[in-house]
Each structure stands twice: as structure tokens, then as C-alpha cells.
């Protein structure tokens, strides 16, 4: 489809433009137009020395002996723009948050775009600008990238893959294997906003008060916990499958049990109402700016106080504890004191939410 890449460049983009309003597939895209897209769209939004070097890859200066975290995520959210965010912002936060969950300071991202023929250039520009803003705010540089075009009808507008590298600046092993019996389980804020914002937008549903995605970078809160000397055992962002799935996965991997207190888990009135209307359980709805932290019980109150500083909408608190058995099982104590085992979802509750 697209011809050989004319200029080796950190941002390889063999996409000619027509009339500057539509992206069109061309066979053997010309160097001048490639250059134009880099200069007009990607360059201004992502500018940094690595990208500006226009080389085949980014060369990174890593602190000697540093441990690195490396992760990747593809983003296919539909629609591309939604209350509280868009696919570009999501693509940055999705990857920097996975790095933060490893206890790593996010530093560098790659961005791979799959564009559908006919996508208005304005849409790409808006998404790329949003990515640039989110990256700057998160303290990461988008240092390398790629663009491919697929035929009309085969791409649904725009997909974005981001990979990221973060630097671990402490000696903790933040992972499910570090979770211990007696650990407190903390939640960073109210749940269910992202999934319900997407669903409302997609289905044209109007709720009494509009629901905005919680899409946000989580590193500042994680960094504050680490700086305060909290002995963080494990972190997990509550994306696909929501809070329930995250805690079940960690309990299974750690070979421990967990009990959650439904009363302690904050759900906004609008999210609760929308979930009831649609027959969804907020414990399984995706978030893009919330996480759970497993910390020693003795440090839990101090850690909660820190998380509350980063939760302007409230809802940060202690929601449960880790027990020895039954291994892999997560029990929810309901608001009326009834206990039930939380199961994994058999299918995806909401497709195309990230
Ligand atoms: Mg994650």
C-alpha cells in the first residue's frame, strides 16, 4: 500500500495530503508530503530533542544501573472523543499509568498510528495535539513513532499504539508477588466514570448530570506515596474489568485472599444511576484514572491521607484487606453485611472502551 519510506526519520509517515483536509492513501508516498505531515502535525505537538534529531530510532540516556519498566498498549476506543478525554489523551495515560503501576517514573513513549483513508486531517491534528499536551503534563517525551494508512472502511478512523519506558528510582519490588497477608487495600478515588462516560456518549444517553471520564495520569500520586516512604507492595490501575477484576487478578497471582467492603467504595450518584439503568455493576466498569494500592496495614492511614490529596472528586480510602485464604478468592461484604464471592467476568462488559 504505502511505498517505501522516503526519509529515514524518527517519525516515519508516508502519507501524502490532499487539499490539507483529508488523509488519502497513495502508492509510494512522496517525501515532500511526508515531511509536511511531520512538520505540520507531529513535530509541533511532540517537539523534543530525540524526535527533532530525525533519526531511525530514539537514543535514550539511561541512568547507570537503573531498572527500567517497559509496557505497551493499543487504543481502539469508540468514539474518538468523549466527555473528559479523547483517544490521544487516553493513549498517553494508558501507557504512563501502566509504568506508574510498576513504580516507575514514566520517561519515554513511542506512538504508532493506524489511520483510515479519508480521516479528516483536523481530527488527526486534534488527537495529536491532545497527546502532546497529555505527554508534557505527565513529564514524558514521545520520542519515536510510525504511521500507517489502511483503506477506507477498514480502520474505523484512527487507532493508536503507545509503548513506554519508565525508570525505577527505588529498591521496592512493586508486584503481586510482594503482597502480604494483612496488607491494607487502598482505592485512589470513586469508580466507574470512564466506562459510563464512553457508553453514554456512544449510545447517545443523557443522564441527569453528565458523566466525565476520570482519564488522568497516576504517577504523581504514586510518586507521593514513594517519596513519603510508604512500603508499597503492589499497584494496579482499574482499567478493563474495573476494580473487581484488578483485585481478583492480584489475589490469584499472589495466592492470597482479599475482602472488600462495599460501603468503602465510592461511586458517584450519576455513575450509580447510569449503571442501574443499564444493568451494569460499577465494580466491573473501566476507569482510566483510578488504582488500588496494597500497603502494610500500619502505613495505611498515612497512605490514604496522601491519596486524598490527589483525589479532587473524593473517594480515596481504605476498601479492604488481604487474608491468607481461601487462595485467589475475593469476598465482597455488601452494604447490608451480606458476603459474596466476586467472580471474573465471563466476557467483556463493555467493548472498545480503551
Ligand atoms: Mg494496567
Amino acid at each position: 500500500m504505502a511505498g517505501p519510506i522516503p526519509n529515514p526519520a524518527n517519525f516515519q509517515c508516508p502519507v501524502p495530503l490532499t487539499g490539507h483536509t483529508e488523509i488519502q492513501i497513495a502508492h509510494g508516498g512522496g517525501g515532500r508530503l511526508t515531511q509536511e505531515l511531520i512538520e505540520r502535525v507531529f513535530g509541533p505537538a511532540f517537539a523534543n530533542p530525540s524526535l527533532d534529531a530525525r533519526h531511525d530510532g530514539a537514543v535514550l540516556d539511561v541512568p547507570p544501573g537503573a531498572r527500567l519498566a517497559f509496557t505497551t498498549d493499543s487504543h481502539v476506543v469508540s468514539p474518538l472523543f468523549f466527555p473528559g478525554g479523547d483517544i490521544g489523551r487516553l493513549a498517553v495515560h494508558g501507557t504512563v499509568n501502566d509504568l506508574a503501576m510498576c513504580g516507575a517514573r514514566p520517561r519515554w513513549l513511542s506512538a504508532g498510528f493506524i489511520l483510515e483513508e479519508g480521516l479528516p486531517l483536523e481530527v488527526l491534528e486534534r488527537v495529536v495535539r491532545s497527546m502532546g499536551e497529555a505527554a508534557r503534563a505527565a513529564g514524558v517525551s514521545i520520542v519515536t513513532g510510525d504511521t500507517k494508512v489502511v483503506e477506507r472502511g477498514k480502520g474505523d478512523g484512527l487507532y493508536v499504539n503507545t509503548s513506554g519506558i519508565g525508570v525505577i528510582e527505588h529498591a521496592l519490588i512493586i508486584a503481586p508477588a510482594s503482597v502480604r497477608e494483612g496488607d491494607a487495600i487502598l482505592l485512589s478515588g470513586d469508580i466507574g466514570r470512564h466506562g459510563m462516560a464512553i457508553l453514554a456518549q456512544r449510545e447517545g444517553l443523557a443522564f441527569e448530570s453528565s458523566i466525565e471520564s476520570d482519564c488522568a495520569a497516576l504517577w504523581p500520586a504514586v510518586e507521593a506515596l514513594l517519596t513519603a516512604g510508604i512500603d508499597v507492595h503492589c499497584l494496579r490501575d482499574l482499567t478493563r474489568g474495573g476494580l473487581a477484576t484488578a483485585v481478583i487478578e492480584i489475589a490469584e497471582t499472589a495466592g492470597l485472599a482479599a475482602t472488600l467492603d462495599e460501603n468503602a467504595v465510592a461511586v458517584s450518584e450519576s455513575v450509580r444511576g447510569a449503571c442501574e439503568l443499564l444493568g451494569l455493576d460499577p465494580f466491573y466498569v473501566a476507569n482510566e484514572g483510578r488504582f488500588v494500592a496494597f500497603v502494610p496495614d500500619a502505613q495505611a492511614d498515612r497512605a490514604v491521607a496522601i491519596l486524598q490529596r490527589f483525589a479532587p472528586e473524593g473517594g480515596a480510602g481504605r476498601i479492604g484487606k488481604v487474608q491468607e485464604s481461601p487462595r485467589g478468592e475475593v469476598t465482597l461484604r455488601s452494604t447490608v453485611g451480606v458476603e459474596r464471592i466476586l467472580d471474573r467476568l465471563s466476557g467483556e462488559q463493555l467493548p472498545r472502551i480503551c
Side-chain angles (χ1 to χ4, degrees), residues 38 257 308:
I38 294 170
Q308 284 170 342

Side-chain angles (χ1 to χ4, degrees), residues 185-191 238 243 264-266 290-293 304 307 315-319:
I185 305 173
L186 314 182
L187 174 63
S188 71
D190 68 326
I191 59 168
L238 311 179
L243 171 63
V265 176
R290 301 289 184 263
F291 67 101
V292 284
V304 165
L307 292 180
R318 186 199 292 240
I319 60 161

Side-chain angles (χ1 to χ4, degrees), residues 71 73 94 97-99 101 235-240:
T71 187
D73 211 342
N97 288 348
D98 279 342
L99 294 172
M101 295 302 101
L235 300 166
R236 182 65 54 95
D237 54 350
L238 311 179
T239 53
R240 258 189 309 187

